[in-house]
Amino acid sequence: MRNAKRARPHFRLDESLLTGLPPFSKLDSRQIREILDQASARRYDEGSAVFEEGRSAERFFMLLDGYIRVVRISPSGEQVIVMHIPGGQLFGIAKALGHTTYPATAVTAAESLALSWPTRLWDTFVAQYEGFSTETYKTVGTRLGEMNNRIMEMATQQVEQRIANAILRLVNQTGRKVEGGIEIDFPITRQDLSEMTGSTLHTVSRTLSGWEKHGLISSGRKRITVCDPHRLVLLSGATG
DNA sequence: ACATTAATTATGT
DNA sequence: ACATAATTAATGT
């Protein structure tokens, strides 16, 4: 039966969701409780936007499970994939960068689960939760370093090496062991790889086919597993 | 050393 | 059956 409208049922989020995650690892269970009671949880289908570039940063997020694809669109309409964020990390933390709007769009690369809080809570989180700010600045620093490396790659390396580096990054961050190698844990297309490397899906397809022929990787539709990481590193590294 | 264009085939609902 | 992904060859800068 269709019942009367009622307020969103208040699910008590389990404390184990946050305990152990770096930004919260130093907190006692009372503090975790506090934080969880102010959070809202939401599930996202694959490919749905969590927030969009330019929009006011109303909330910040903790990705509990799944993967976030950070995306920007050029004025001419081409998409660029800035990076991927795995579960267990904060994202949409515009406030940490001194922004009031989101600097990029966040799309789920797989079905995902995220907590979020109103951005007005950011300062109190920083002020009263030990380790929160230092840990978040660590992740900001890590991401900055990655983007830094990407800039170098873009400027100096050829497409094949950039693709190799992109895949290695994904494998390091999201790789899960399967028989015969390490698989990228979420669906990824040649188009995606091209948007990460400033290339085209055709070039990506050709290079991947070549690698597959030589046993470096194996791939199906939207799936890539690295069989020989070592040789891939050789390809990606100093001029071959 | 790569993009573009185009045609063809494979794969998932 | 249909849409989306991937491959492959030919041609262009």
Side-chain angles (χ1 to χ4, degrees):
Chain A
M1 126 186 197
R2 164 170 297 274
N3 59 3
K5 172 183 183 210
R6 60 172 294 179
R8 170 161 46 103
H10 179 243
F11 295 109
R12 266 212 140 200
L13 299 166
D14 196 278
E15 295 178 21
S16 65
L17 291 176
L18 290 186
T19 49
L21 296 184
F24 306 111
S25 53
K26 292 185 174 166
L27 307 184
D28 59 39
S29 96
R30 191 199 113 259
Q31 294 174 304
I32 300 261
R33 191 71 262 156
E34 245 173 39
I35 288 175
L36 280 174
D37 285 343
Q38 304 179 83
S40 29
R42 177 132 133 59
R43 190 194 70 87
Y44 299 86
D45 284 321
E46 175 183 336
S48 53
V50 179
F51 55 77
E52 277 172 36
E53 175 179 357
R55 293 231 30 207
S56 157
E58 306 288 349
R59 307 183 74 83
F60 63 97
F61 300 80
M62 163 61 77
L63 185 65
L64 293 179
D65 194 25
Y67 295 95
I68 293 295
R69 204 198 305 282
V70 180
V71 159
R72 300 203 58 195
I73 314 277
S74 80
S76 48
E78 2 180 24
Q79 217 187 232
V80 173
I81 297 178
V82 178
M83 62 170 149
H84 288 87
I85 298 175
Q89 289 187 208
L90 294 171
F91 68 104
I93 49 180
K95 198 68 188 298
L97 311 173
H99 287 115
T100 60
T101 61
Y102 297 116
T105 295
V107 176
T108 56
E111 185 183 7
S112 298
L113 176 64
L115 298 181
S116 71
W117 298 266
T119 298
R120 60 174 167 79
L121 293 182
W122 179 266
D123 288 324
T124 70
F125 273 41
V126 167
Q128 68 190 54
Y129 298 130
E130 182 196 350
F132 181 83
S133 71
T134 61
E135 284 301 328
T136 61
Y137 286 124
K138 264 191 217 170
T139 70
V140 169
T142 302
R143 290 174 193 175
L144 202 151
E146 275 181 27
M147 294 191 280
N148 216 337
N149 288 335
R150 264 169 34 81
I151 292 178
M152 278 301 282
E153 292 169 20
M154 292 288 195
T156 64
Q157 299 188 324
Q158 342 215 93
V159 173
E160 187 179 35
Q161 312 184 282
R162 302 206 299 265
I163 298 172
N165 276 303
I167 290 181
L168 286 172
R169 258 194 299 274
L170 290 177
V171 159
N172 286 332
Q173 291 165 5
T174 85
R176 66 145 214 267
K177 279 137 212 162
V178 296
E179 69 280 15
I182 311 171
E183 185 178 67
I184 295 173
D185 197 31
F186 56 84
I188 185 160
T189 65
R190 323 283 154 170
Q191 173 79 34
D192 293 330
L193 259 322
S194 75
E195 288 172 3
M196 303 171 59
T197 57
S199 177
T200 66
L201 74 149
H202 311 273
T203 300
V204 172
S205 180
R206 272 191 297 271
T207 48
L208 292 199
S209 295
W211 290 350
E212 180 144 30
K213 204 165 291 180
H214 294 82
L216 252 162
I217 67 166
S218 83
S219 73
R221 153 181 279 235
K222 290 193 180 186
R223 316 221 113 258
I224 300 174
T225 81
V226 175
C227 310
D228 194 341
H230 182 64
R231 277 207 286 164
L232 204 60
V233 170
L234 291 185
L235 263 182
S236 76
T239 50

